[in-house]
Amino acid sequence: MTSGTSGPPAGAAHSRRGPGSAVAVVTGAAGGLGQVIAARLHEQGYRVALTDLSGERAERAASALDPSGGTAVGLCLDVRIKADFERVRDAITARWGEVHVLVNNAGVSKAEPLMDITPESFSSVVSTNLDGAFFGSQVFGAYFAGRGHGRIVNVASLAGQNGGTATGAHYAAAKGGVATLTKVFARDLADRGVTVNAVSPGPLDVPAVYEIVGPERIEGMKENIPVGDLLSPRFVADAVALLAAEHAGSVTGACWDVNGGLYMR
């Protein structure tokens, strides 16, 4: 991708969505927040490709939305591998003709003490959270730019903004990188009809938070959140859907915070 171009390449199709024709790819969609995002987009009429490291789990999640496979499909995707994004792009365009939205949601966290994080653990967490956002934005960003229209929404994190280590310093570092990559891709792709934004959640009411924090500490966590409760994954999904909308072209390079008042700026 090269900055400074004035529009899509000569002869490129300027893709606009017809009624019921929008297609979205969501990474890490077999469970948790990714599954909620995929379900919300599907409710809004998108055809959705749910991708995950486990193709079997992705297929089950897709089948829960549409057993026929007409409007939801599950695919295996290792976000650490650029060629996997290219394979998914090609599979979905062959199936549904085009893609309009990419949601880079896939991530992994490990609650490890800062000084005990091994080089292998650091690389593994950063690769999934940061490399995945980079490769996804690179592959689909180029595809969208060639068509003259597209939406990329990255899932960042409060940890990447305030340096929180409850989910691991490697996770916080990677999510800080996701916020920066959002701006980098947004700047590069803005003049080609492609927006790139991020949503940055705090502690969500999802199983992973209960597993990391522990049931005995959840109430204490809620007390430390200004609004007094864990945060709604469905609202995060609504924010993603709004940034993914065709008429959302006025917003790019932004990071929308959903943290219950834990981090105000």
Side-chain angles (χ1 to χ4, degrees):
M1 291 177 289
T2 303
S3 298
T5 56
S6 58
H14 190 62
S15 174
R16 293 292 177 178
R17 314 173 194 176
S21 68
V23 175
V25 174
V26 183
T27 70
L33 178 60
Q35 189 172 13
V36 176
I37 292 171
R40 185 68 183 115
L41 293 173
H42 191 261
E43 287 174 5
Q44 291 195 347
Y46 285 82
R47 289 172 288 173
V48 183
L50 294 82
T51 71
D52 204 273
L53 187 59
S54 168
E56 183 178 346
R57 291 184 64 225
E59 289 171 4
R60 286 201 300 268
S63 181
L65 296 179
D66 181 0
S68 76
T71 59
V73 63
L75 296 171
C76 177
L77 169 64
D78 187 338
V79 297
R80 298 167 296 183
I81 302 173
K82 180 178 179 180
D84 266 26
F85 279 102
E86 295 169 337
R87 175 180 52 78
V88 165
R89 175 202 61 201
D90 293 345
I92 296 305
T93 54
R95 185 185 188 94
W96 287 327
E98 56 191 347
V99 181
H100 305 89
V101 175
L102 169 69
V103 181
N104 282 315
N105 165 78
V108 63
S109 62
K110 295 181 182 179
E112 298 178 304
L114 176 61
M115 297 305 177
D116 294 341
I117 296 174
T118 65
E120 294 76 18
S121 181
F122 187 87
S123 295
S124 174
V125 171
V126 170
S127 179
T128 298
N129 291 283
L130 185 57
D131 292 10
F134 177 75
F135 292 142
S137 298
Q138 193 177 53
V139 169
F140 279 90
Y143 167 80
F144 293 150
R147 300 180 64 79
H149 186 76
R151 303 280 181 258
I152 298 173
V153 184
N154 297 322
V155 176
S157 171
L158 170 65
Q161 296 172 305
N162 69 359
T165 58
T167 49
H170 29 22
Y171 177 82
K175 287 300 188 179
V178 169
T180 299
L181 276 182
T182 298
K183 298 174 186 177
V184 171
F185 277 98
R187 192 180 305 277
D188 191 86
L189 295 169
D191 63 355
R192 285 174 281 176
V194 184
T195 64
V196 187
N197 293 289
V199 175
S200 184
L204 295 171
D205 189 6
V206 294
V209 170
Y210 288 85
E211 293 170 10
I212 292 171
V213 176
E216 71 284 355
R217 296 171 55 200
I218 286 292
E219 290 307 315
M221 170 178 274
K222 290 179 181 179
E223 290 174 2
N224 289 325
I225 300 172
V227 300
D229 204 354
L230 296 178
L231 312 170
S232 166
R234 184 170 173 84
F235 180 79
V236 176
D238 285 340
V240 170
L242 184 56
L243 289 169
E246 183 172 6
H247 64 282
S250 297
V251 181
T252 196
C255 181
W256 286 3
D257 299 339
V258 186
N259 59 44
L262 282 167
Y263 181 72
M264 299 183 185
R265 55 187 179 133

